[in-house]
């Protein structure tokens, strides 16, 4: 098969690959992203055979015509390469772009504590108590939106939550003030056990629904769109924790990171902080 000049990605191939990812115990979010990204390549191919030349042209098209960020292009290419490996099409593997890490967080991406509190207050004023508490939980505990199902009535009472994500389990403490808010919420909503943040049917709230609610709320209260996504609350937790404790190893454990290098991304200086540092050097 590797000697052929090109191959076709059919819907059956995509279906089989999806089943393979399920058997590999990939998360539903990861599977959805891989399949979505591969469909992007299929759309570009438009019925043509997938060759190394076509994939290289696809890579260039994403950069020059579609104007995607290099980080986004790399994620598309990783999805394609993973499929090629699964199919044994090793000759089609393409290199990702090398990106120099930024030393600071761009100002238009950095969510401030004031903006976070503004969103919480706006949610409360609109009578959206659940949304306000979700935002506070994400930020005060530094968890992912997908980990909200680990916040249960039991964890609210004990003050300790067991979070399971990406095949790993970790225990984190519930801040005392947040614990009081959670206990009040479960009393008011007659939640005796299980997941706290649930839909009317009793299921855990969906990550995509949370994102939409937060996005709408942020726009309504004037927070820049580039700062409005659930993971930014986790970043704010990380930066706030590190400023007070200066312990990156402990922070990595709390966030559930296997590598401290991942944690470093979360605690990069803001654009304003970085500017002050270089100005204080007095080299001009």
């Amino acid at each position: 098969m590797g000697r052929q000049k090109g191959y076709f990605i059919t819907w059956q191939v995509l279906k089989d690959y999806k089943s393979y990812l399920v058997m590999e115990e990939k998360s539903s979010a990861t599977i959805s992203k891989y399949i979505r990204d591969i469909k992007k390549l299929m759309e570009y191919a438009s019925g043509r055979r997938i060759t190394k030349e076509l994939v290289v042209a696809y890579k260039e098209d994403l950069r020059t015509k579609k104007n995607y960020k290099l980080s986004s292009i790399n994620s598309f290419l990783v999805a394609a390469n993973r499929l090629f490996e699964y199919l044994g099409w090793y000759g089609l593997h393409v290199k990702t772009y090398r990106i120099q890490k930024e030393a600071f967080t761009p100002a238009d991406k950095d969510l401030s504590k004031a903006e976070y509190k503004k969103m919480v207050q706006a949610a409360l004023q609109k009578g959206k108590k659940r949304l306000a508490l979700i935002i506070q939980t994400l930020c005060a505990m530094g968890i992912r939106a997908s980990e909200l199902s680990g916040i249960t009535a039991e964890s609210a009472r004990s003050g300790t939550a067991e979070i399971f994500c990406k095949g790993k389990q970790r225990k984190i403490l519930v801040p005392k003030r947040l614990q009081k808010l959670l206990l009040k919420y479960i009393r008011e909503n007659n939640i005796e056990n299980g997941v706290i943040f649930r839909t009317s049917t009793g299921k855990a709230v969906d990550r995509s629904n949370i994102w939409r609610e937060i996005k709408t709320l942020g726009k309504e209260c004037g927070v820049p769109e580039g700062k409005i996504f659930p993971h930014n609350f986790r970043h704010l937790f990380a930066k706030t924790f590190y400023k007070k404790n200066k312990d990156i190893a402990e922070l990595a454990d709390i966030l559930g990171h296997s590598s401290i290098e991942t944690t470093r991304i979360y605690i990069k200086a803001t654009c304003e902080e970085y500017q002050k540092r270089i100005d204080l050097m007095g080299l001009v």
Side-chain angles (χ1 to χ4, degrees):
M1 182 164 61
R3 296 177 181 175
Q4 297 177 20
K5 290 186 177 180
Y7 316 90
F8 291 107
I9 299 177
T10 65
W11 292 110
Q12 185 59 50
V13 165
L14 208 59
K15 183 179 179 181
D16 292 343
Y17 183 53
K18 186 175 182 180
S19 298
Y20 165 78
L21 292 175
V22 171
M23 294 303 293
E24 285 291 295
E25 298 184 35
K26 300 296 184 185
S27 70
S28 57
T30 297
I31 293 172
S32 295
K33 186 178 187 323
Y34 274 5
I35 298 302
R36 185 169 62 249
D37 290 351
I38 293 167
K39 285 180 180 179
K40 194 180 296 294
L41 173 59
M42 291 174 69
E43 183 180 337
Y44 176 81
S46 189
R48 293 175 291 171
R49 285 181 180 272
I50 307 296
T51 63
K52 179 62 177 281
E53 292 76 15
L54 182 140
V55 181
V56 170
Y58 166 65
K59 172 182 174 180
E60 186 65 11
D61 183 79
L62 290 170
R63 185 180 68 85
T64 60
K65 294 182 180 179
K66 299 297 192 299
N67 294 317
Y68 281 107
K69 293 180 180 178
L70 294 188
S71 57
S72 297
I73 295 174
N74 282 347
S75 72
F76 300 152
L77 298 179
V78 167
N81 286 337
R82 292 284 188 274
L83 175 68
F84 300 156
E85 290 166 9
Y86 161 73
L87 294 168
W89 300 352
Y90 301 110
L92 302 189
H93 193 282
V94 288
K95 295 180 180 178
T96 55
Y97 287 106
R98 296 178 65 182
I99 305 173
Q100 178 67 43
K101 292 181 180 179
E102 292 180 326
F104 57 88
T105 303
D108 61 346
K109 300 294 183 183
D110 182 57
L111 182 72
S112 69
K113 188 181 291 187
E115 288 168 328
Y116 151 66
K117 290 186 175 181
K118 185 178 181 180
M119 292 180 69
V120 172
Q121 193 59 38
L124 291 173
Q125 289 175 348
K126 292 177 180 296
K128 298 181 178 180
K129 292 183 179 180
R130 186 185 72 177
L131 181 58
L133 193 51
I134 283 175
I135 292 173
Q136 289 173 300
T137 302
L138 291 173
C139 198
M141 297 186 69
I143 61 175
R144 305 172 179 90
S146 59
E147 295 174 337
L148 277 171
S149 58
I151 310 304
T152 63
E154 291 83 355
S155 62
R157 295 188 185 101
S158 69
T160 305
E162 291 189 358
I163 305 297
F164 185 83
C165 183
K166 298 183 179 181
K168 296 180 293 184
Q169 186 180 54
R170 69 186 192 279
K171 287 186 177 182
I172 52 178
L173 297 176
V174 181
K176 293 295 184 182
R177 293 182 67 178
L178 178 64
Q179 185 180 18
K180 289 180 180 179
L181 293 175
L182 290 171
L183 289 172
K184 181 181 178 182
Y185 182 83
I186 63 176
R187 284 197 303 270
E188 292 175 345
N189 291 275
N190 299 314
I191 301 172
E192 295 183 3
N193 51 61
V195 178
I196 291 178
F197 302 114
R198 56 180 73 175
T199 64
S200 57
T201 59
K203 294 182 179 179
V205 291
D206 184 77
R207 178 176 173 275
S208 60
N209 289 333
I210 295 170
W211 188 87
R212 280 194 295 271
E213 283 192 73
I214 289 174
K215 185 177 181 181
T216 300
L217 177 69
K219 285 183 176 180
E220 291 175 346
C221 64
V223 176
E225 188 173 358
K227 301 182 180 186
I228 309 170
F229 52 95
H231 214 65
N232 233 359
F233 300 119
R234 183 167 156 87
H235 279 257
L236 179 55
F237 168 88
K239 286 183 289 186
T240 306
F241 181 93
Y242 187 72
K243 281 181 181 178
K244 289 186 175 294
N245 299 278
K246 300 296 181 183
D247 190 333
I248 193 171
E250 184 179 1
L251 177 58
D253 289 339
I254 293 171
L255 294 175
H257 291 159
S258 299
S259 169
I260 286 179
E261 289 306 308
T262 303
T263 312
R264 290 187 191 280
I265 298 171
Y266 284 66
I267 59 173
K268 285 189 295 187
T270 64
C271 184
E272 183 180 352
E273 290 168 339
Y274 187 73
Q275 184 70 56
K276 287 180 180 177
R277 290 176 190 175
I278 59 174
D279 287 343
L280 287 171
M281 291 172 68
L283 296 177
V284 178

